[in-house]
Amino acid sequence: SHDLRDLRAGLQTGDGRWGLSLNAQHYENDNYRDNNRAELDTVSGELRFGDREDFITLGINADDQKSRLPGARTEAQLHSDRRGATTPNDFMNSRGEQYSLRGEKRFGEVTLALDLGQRDKEFDSFGTGTYNFFGVQTYTSRIETDMDVTSVSPRLLWKSQVAGMDNRLTVGVDWSDWTYTNRASNTDTLFGNSKTRTVGNQDNRAIYFRDELAVTPGTRLTVGGRRENVKQDQEEYLTPLPKQSVEHHLSAYELALQQDLGGRFSAYGRLGRSFRVATIDENRCLFAPCGPLLKPQRSHDRELGIQWGGKGAGFRAGLFQMDVDDEIHYNALTFTNMNLSPTRHRGLELEGKLPLGATVDLAARYIWTEASFREGIYGGVDVTGNDVPLVPQDRIGLNLGWQATTATWLTFNVNHVGSQRYDNDQANRFRKMPSYTVADIKLSHEMGAWRLTAGINNLFDEEYYSYGVINGASTTFNAYPEDRRNGYVSAGYRF
């Protein structure tokens, strides 16, 4: 469907203590929407010397991606012209290369490892849009971005026994250096023409450890921690805006316990704290005055569950709660990122798999989530207790697999996503996004060295969208419609 073309080739060869792996792909697809064509070319390779425990590898990955961007549809356009393009001239192209050097060397119970990496990425995009300020205004923006990342990650792995208990300890250091340059040329019916440039640097320095201890044959304790120092410098030129600098000292940890209960049952519990630092691009400021750089996002997590498994069947039930502070969130109305007020995500996860005879397998997963603001004020409205946008309360997944013959497989997948609040509706004044259910089917058959596959996505032709945002007056919304029913065939040959 939609003139999809996807060609992939791979090669693996080696002898004794060396190996070579090469992969390449060319992909193109017009997609469902107008002005939504996507093209992708990738190549990757790895040269490896050594065996499983003592080795060194050289790797390279490169990609060239071209994407046309159709823009969002208004509520009326979803009914009148669902496939149309709101922004027929918008696009985003990117090119990237990544080089890596990895190695491990074992000395008895101790293994030393080192990862070195260099990543270069270029973006080129063009965007158009409108906004309502003293009447409807239009704007265009051509943006060119260069990003470079250098990383070094040495670590030590020690497998031993402590007081007769099996123990696995990992200690390591992560160092990375980011440089970022963004150049933009803008036109605006209200503010005229302008040029902006953003230059930024980010340095990350971290030390971490993770220890797994088999306290008894049925009891496993995991303890981990991470301490990271992040320095960010960012300057907006030609606007002009003052240089901003910030330094963060952040900590994360994990404490987990798993206990066998007998009868193939086991229970587990986990406590943890994590963080995420905004990238230089996420901190970009388009218009003065600019606020301070974004705060790091922090989360305190708790999870408790029970599981069972045996003879191809399994089941797990878990309760979770995440208290998130300063979540990094994109504000679709101001075209900038922001820190959300404190939120709480808690819920229940159920998943299991069950063989239905010798040739049929069934797997299912259900997630119930309650996401609400612990406190906060948006647009003069106290949102304490309100639903967090874009978090569905119910998600269900079913997978049915049938091995019709020794060489033929049929798989059927169904995914249901329940209703959720639209983006920008922290006040919960607007109706919820509609739920949707999507089914996919795939048939595969092996014939000698050939593997033939045919499939249909969105089998029942569901009309739906997975993202929508309300306007500032909370009277209507824009959304990005997803693909209707579409199909594909493929053939693979291995020799």
Side-chain angles (χ1 to χ4, degrees):
S1 298
H2 315 313
D3 290 329
L4 166 66
R5 301 288 186 273
D6 190 1
L7 176 64
R8 308 183 190 193
L11 168 68
Q12 290 183 338
T13 185
D15 183 16
R17 290 177 56 82
W18 72 274
L20 174 66
S21 174
L22 296 172
N23 294 280
Q25 178 187 14
H26 173 75
Y27 171 90
E28 54 186 70
N29 192 348
D30 285 344
N31 286 307
Y32 173 67
R33 302 275 307 280
D34 296 337
N35 191 47
N36 199 196
R37 181 173 174 80
E39 299 178 20
L40 174 65
D41 292 290
T42 65
V43 62
S44 63
E46 184 177 84
L47 180 62
R48 180 185 178 108
F49 299 94
D51 53 31
R52 182 179 297 273
E53 295 180 342
D54 299 313
F55 67 86
I56 184 170
T57 65
L58 302 172
I60 182 173
N61 291 273
D63 64 87
D64 186 352
Q65 182 172 342
K66 298 179 175 65
S67 302
R68 304 293 300 186
L69 307 176
R73 299 268 82 186
T74 65
E75 184 175 3
Q77 289 170 336
L78 287 174
H79 299 285
S80 64
D81 185 14
R82 191 178 188 88
R83 302 182 63 173
T86 307
T87 54
N89 299 314
D90 287 13
F91 66 85
M92 184 180 71
N93 303 330
S94 67
R95 293 174 59 92
E97 297 88 30
Q98 186 170 351
Y99 309 92
S100 64
L101 173 65
R102 300 189 301 116
E104 289 189 8
K105 178 65 176 177
R106 182 172 180 179
F107 301 92
E109 295 181 339
V110 175
T111 299
L112 299 180
L114 176 66
D115 291 354
L116 303 175
Q118 175 65 41
R119 180 188 176 197
D120 305 313
K121 198 80 173 179
E122 299 175 358
F123 296 91
D124 179 19
S125 65
F126 178 79
T128 59
T130 62
Y131 61 93
N132 197 334
F133 188 71
F134 296 112
V136 176
Q137 311 295 335
T138 62
Y139 67 88
T140 66
S141 181
R142 180 67 181 268
I143 301 174
E144 296 177 331
T145 302
D146 299 319
M147 183 185 69
D148 300 300
V149 185
T150 302
S151 60
V152 180
S153 299
R155 62 187 180 277
L156 177 149
L157 173 63
W158 180 29
K159 295 181 180 179
S160 63
Q161 284 198 335
V162 177
M165 299 177 290
D166 290 336
N167 191 67
R168 180 186 176 96
L169 173 66
T170 303
V171 178
V173 174
D174 287 335
W175 172 89
S176 63
D177 180 63
W178 299 64
T179 62
Y180 174 95
T181 303
N182 179 286
R183 300 170 298 278
S185 299
N186 311 303
T187 64
D188 192 293
T189 54
L190 182 63
F191 298 103
N193 300 333
S194 65
K195 293 181 180 294
T196 62
R197 183 162 65 98
T198 303
V199 175
N201 293 279
Q202 179 173 310
D203 296 323
N204 295 58
R205 307 288 186 268
I207 184 170
Y208 65 90
F209 79 94
R210 178 183 174 87
D211 190 75
E212 300 177 25
L213 179 65
V215 181
T216 70
T219 306
R220 179 171 295 274
L221 177 66
T222 302
V223 179
R226 182 182 182 91
R227 180 67 175 177
E228 186 160 354
N229 183 63
V230 182
K231 294 182 180 179
Q232 291 179 321
D233 297 301
Q234 189 159 332
E235 190 165 5
E236 309 280 351
Y237 293 87
L238 306 179
T239 304
L241 296 168
K243 181 177 181 179
Q244 296 194 74
S245 300
V246 68
E247 184 170 355
H248 303 291
H249 303 279
L250 302 165
S251 298
Y253 68 85
E254 178 187 33
L255 176 62
L257 179 66
Q258 182 167 336
Q259 175 64 54
D260 289 343
L261 302 177
R264 296 177 179 171
F265 282 91
S266 64
Y268 67 90
R270 177 183 173 273
L271 298 173
R273 181 171 70 182
S274 60
F275 59 83
R276 185 174 87 81
V277 179
T279 64
I280 300 171
D281 187 50
E282 288 174 319
N283 272 312
R284 278 191 64 215
C285 177
L286 302 178
F287 308 103
C290 293
L293 300 181
L294 294 172
K295 300 176 183 178
Q297 174 180 311
R298 292 160 291 127
S299 177
H300 289 80
D301 309 328
R302 291 171 287 278
E303 185 176 359
L304 185 66
I306 189 170
Q307 54 192 15
W308 174 89
K311 294 184 179 180
F315 172 79
R316 184 180 71 87
L319 298 170
F320 65 90
Q321 179 170 304
M322 299 180 293
D323 289 340
V324 184
D325 294 290
D326 297 315
E327 180 178 345
I328 299 171
H329 173 77
Y330 177 71
N331 189 323
L333 298 182
T334 63
F335 311 107
T336 59
N337 292 285
M338 60 181 288
N339 288 118
L340 282 181
S341 294
T343 61
R344 172 169 292 160
H345 302 243
R346 59 185 177 186
L348 168 69
E349 287 186 329
L350 300 173
E351 61 181 9
K353 58 180 180 179
L354 179 67
L356 304 177
T359 60
V360 180
D361 293 295
L362 175 66
R365 188 181 190 191
Y366 172 71
I367 303 176
W368 175 84
T369 305
E370 180 186 74
S372 59
F373 286 98
R374 287 145 52 206
E375 60 180 85
I377 296 177
Y378 288 90
V381 177
D382 186 350
V383 299
T384 302
N386 283 11
D387 296 335
V388 177
L390 301 179
V391 181
Q393 188 173 74
D394 300 290
R395 283 174 287 175
I396 303 173
L398 295 173
N399 178 278
L400 182 66
W402 175 40
Q403 186 173 0
T405 70
T406 56
T408 306
W409 298 265
L410 180 68
T411 58
F412 181 70
N413 295 284
V414 180
N415 287 286
H416 171 80
V417 178
S419 60
Q420 55 192 299
R421 294 288 179 182
Y422 285 87
D423 198 1
N424 195 45
D425 188 23
Q426 288 89 351
N428 291 183
R429 291 175 171 173
F430 201 64
R431 63 182 182 273
K432 291 185 176 182
M433 287 174 51
S435 62
Y436 57 88
T437 303
V438 180
D440 304 324
I441 190 169
K442 182 173 74 172
L443 177 66
S444 300
H445 178 72
E446 288 189 353
M447 191 169 53
W450 287 94
R451 183 181 180 91
L452 310 177
T453 303
I456 300 175
N457 299 317
N458 196 356
L459 179 63
F460 301 116
D461 202 25
E462 177 88 347
E463 260 189 17
Y464 74 102
Y465 52 89
S466 57
Y467 175 80
V469 55
I470 64 171
N471 64 355
S474 301
T475 56
T476 187
F477 68 91
N478 289 347
Y480 293 85
E482 300 285 355
D483 202 348
R484 300 284 293 273
R485 181 166 49 224
N486 62 96
Y488 63 91
V489 294
S490 71
Y493 185 75
R494 184 180 296 272
F495 57 93

